[in-house]
Amino acid sequence: MKFFCCFIIFLFLKTIVHSQILIERTIIVKDSSTGEYLQYPKMRYALNDQNGKFVEIIGNEKGLIDLSLLPNASTIYYSIYSDAYDTSKGIGIVKALYGKQINLSSQLEKRLQNVTVVGHRKAITLAPNEIKINWNKYMKDGASPLSKTIERLPFVVNNSLSPNNLLLETVGKKKVKVFLDGRELSDAEVLSLPSMSIAKASLVTFPSAGETDGNSAILYLTTLNYAYSYHFQEITGGYDVGVSGPSLTYRNTKKNGAWSSNIFLNAYHYDFPNMYTARSYDNIVFQKDTTKSKSTTVIFSASTTKVGRKGSLLTFGLTSNILLSNSDVHSFSLDDGSLYTNTKFRYFNVSAFMNYQWTTINGNKFRLSTLVDVNPNNHNSLKSESIVTDLLSSNRQTNYSENISLKYTTKSKNLGDWKWSQSFNSGLRFKQNSIQRSIGEENTASKNILNESSFFTGYSAAITNEKYSLEFSIVGNLSTINGYSVPNYQHGYVYPKLTAGYTIDDNNSLTLSFSNPTYRPNLSSLASDSNYNSNWLIVRGDDQLKTEKEYTADFLLTSTLEKNLSLEASYTGSYFQNGIVTLFSKDAPSGYTFYTSWLNCEYLLHSLSFNLNYELSNFFSIRSNTKVSYIAFRDQSLLPNFKKGFFFEGDVRANYTIGKVGDLSLLANWNPLNRSYFVQKREKVYLDFSYTKSISKAVSIYFAVYDLLGNKGNRATDYQNGLYIHQTQNNRTLSISFTWKLGQMFGVRNAGSGGSEVIPSDTKK
């Protein structure tokens, strides 16, 4: 806590004086008709000589043009303008322009025979297998992180109001991954990169097989390459009561010509309320627990991007994660009487990456990507003491991986009204996983070292026009795994995918996709020795696990029913061969010790999903994402109510901006019953509420109440073998934080210099 406070005070005092100067030495540009601020206005000027060299300044998203870099006693000859607006010209002393308001008249508004015609750009445009999004319409504050704009986009729901979490979903509860100029962003980058750096956005629900797995959609973003410089810093400090603890977030974004950099630090500590757990077997309660836990998380990300000539981009950086948690459990057990259990978890991870892409003279594109990921210490230890017996269990993991890939995309060819494009990609991956598990004294530990070497290659081809698209993609992978208990395990698979899109009209489109993804068991689940997860649950792997194959068909309808109402409806049918599922068993004939492991089984999964987006105005919107599923396992040993059945999951998010009052958000989640192999989980509906208010140009306040109804920690779990677990925890939390914008400076450029041609025109493939 002391570190958080000292760090905030240091950064605040370092830049507060400078930021105030920047805010005061500005020109304010507004629309003369509406009085609204014009985003990114431009000023072309010369100093002391109207025939001298003219340079250009570009303002920010709030209509402010910064003059702090200009000598305040100089004479300035200037022209202020914006796209589709008239130009305002003038002459004066620089100092006299501080705080001056300039009103520009729109050229788009024309009066013809008492009828007003106003030009508008559509918020979304439907294309075959793609939704093109007008990014600027949803960007409220260009200095805010990408996540703040993304959660306002149609068809995307951020299933969390907490500024420390990012849970982006789209229709079918698919996870949304964010790609910037062809590179997948980490969550830390989405939470830190400024929204004003984006020119274009498009959502693809069924990307090619070489881009991501079958359960994810991709939001493709393209960089906006303004040839000017800026420097932006932001600090957020807060405290939560309930799930209690302080939090700190620091963002620092710079752009200087062709170079840009980004630094992000997020640190928070949580003390969780007591959780009460009752476990029963065959209707007999065998253990009651009271759990007190706490955790500390630190996330750090830094990256640098260099824009080169002829479409080249070089990005390199690193991301680090640290998680420390501790749980104390006081229990009463039928086996051991009163007992005490302490569980500690330590996690540290560092990832370094480099991405370089360039365009040849012929218009073909290359992208080289490398990633080194190190997890030197993942340690989970358990110590249990009772009047009957003591237990010590430990699980240490060390992971290391190297990845390198190359993607080659040919320039699109025109075939009449059609366009043909194709891409090739290949790569290598080496991964080492060291697992050391022990039960009892540390010197009895078993150690597994598993090595994996993989080679993959892929191909994608697409033919498109304004109404139709057809894309075929395929990825092949050959892996060799060897190590303790898994000698020379080799596996190869082919993952094909076929996607067809049809745009019926401006308001409706259809997409049909067939895919056959393959999932291998992870290395830790193949380690066949055991360790205690708790005093009553033992975890053990299975070196006989087979590869899971999934056969899936998807159908998606996208419609804009009215100007402010849009809907996605999808059906997904999947057959899982050798599906990897979790099994809970009780091998001992007496006592209350259980085992969790993995096995293969076949099952069917059908789901019907709806994604509703309603925008009453620029100030009020509702996003709803719901899914109804039917699952059926081909396992005759399962009881009827575990063998098959329906389940539902859904969420609704409402955002409301009330003038100068602030921004309100309400998020409701309800997953009343979730079915998986051998297990059924029940949860109650829970609500989260947040309020954001700008106190000044530099300071804003965030207030939230998470789990308004107090239901989030109330869940029950049924197992077929007669095990039943009921947990209650009051997770209702009050959260308050303040954000300081510690500097927003826009530099100058030569008029007409720079150019957007150095940014790829298309982020897809």
Side-chain angles (χ1 to χ4, degrees), residues 189-354:
E189 291 176 297
V190 178
L191 290 168
S192 59
L193 291 172
S195 295
M196 67 189 199
S197 63
I198 303 304
K200 296 192 304 182
S202 64
L203 178 65
V204 177
T205 308
F206 304 107
S208 66
E211 295 284 273
T212 186
D213 58 63
N215 296 319
S216 300
I218 295 180
L219 178 66
Y220 291 96
L221 304 178
T222 306
T223 302
L224 179 65
N225 186 37
Y226 280 146
Y228 67 93
S229 301
Y230 61 81
H231 183 194
F232 172 79
Q233 296 184 80
E234 180 181 274
I235 289 180
T236 300
Y239 195 87
D240 292 357
V241 179
V243 179
S244 302
S247 63
L248 168 71
T249 301
Y250 174 65
R251 296 171 55 218
N252 188 325
T253 300
K254 293 182 180 180
K255 188 175 188 302
N256 185 9
W259 289 90
S260 60
S261 63
N262 184 73
I263 296 175
F264 176 74
L265 173 66
N266 184 210
Y268 49 94
H269 174 82
Y270 289 147
D271 281 311
F272 296 92
N274 287 348
M275 180 173 67
Y276 304 96
T277 305
R279 299 181 180 89
S280 60
Y281 181 68
D282 286 344
N283 297 320
I284 298 176
V285 177
F286 67 87
Q287 183 170 310
K288 290 185 177 182
D289 300 337
T290 300
T291 303
K292 180 64 176 177
S293 59
K294 58 184 177 180
S295 69
T296 300
T297 302
V298 179
I299 301 171
F300 176 78
S301 174
S303 62
T304 299
T305 298
K306 169 66 165 64
V307 180
R309 297 180 178 180
K310 299 181 180 180
S312 66
L313 278 174
L314 172 64
T315 302
F316 55 91
L318 62 87
T319 299
S320 176
N321 297 271
I322 301 174
L323 173 61
L324 308 174
S325 69
N326 186 82
S327 295
D328 292 322
V329 183
H330 295 270
S331 308
F332 180 80
S333 170
L334 292 182
D335 279 349
D336 299 331
S338 179
L339 60 90
Y340 165 76
T341 301
N342 175 256
T343 302
K344 295 181 179 180
F345 181 72
R346 302 292 184 265
Y347 175 84
F348 175 63
N349 171 264
V350 177
S351 298
F353 66 89
M354 189 277 291

Side-chain angles (χ1 to χ4, degrees), residues 302 328 432 548 562 568:
D328 292 322
Q432 184 180 81
E548 175 183 294
E562 296 179 3
E568 281 188 316

Side-chain angles (χ1 to χ4, degrees), residues 2-16 235 248 740 742:
K2 293 181 179 179
F3 168 76
F4 292 158
C5 296
C6 293
F7 190 74
I8 292 174
I9 294 171
F10 170 75
L11 290 175
F12 182 76
L13 295 178
K14 175 177 177 292
T15 54
I16 189 64
I235 289 180
L248 168 71
W740 291 272
L742 300 179

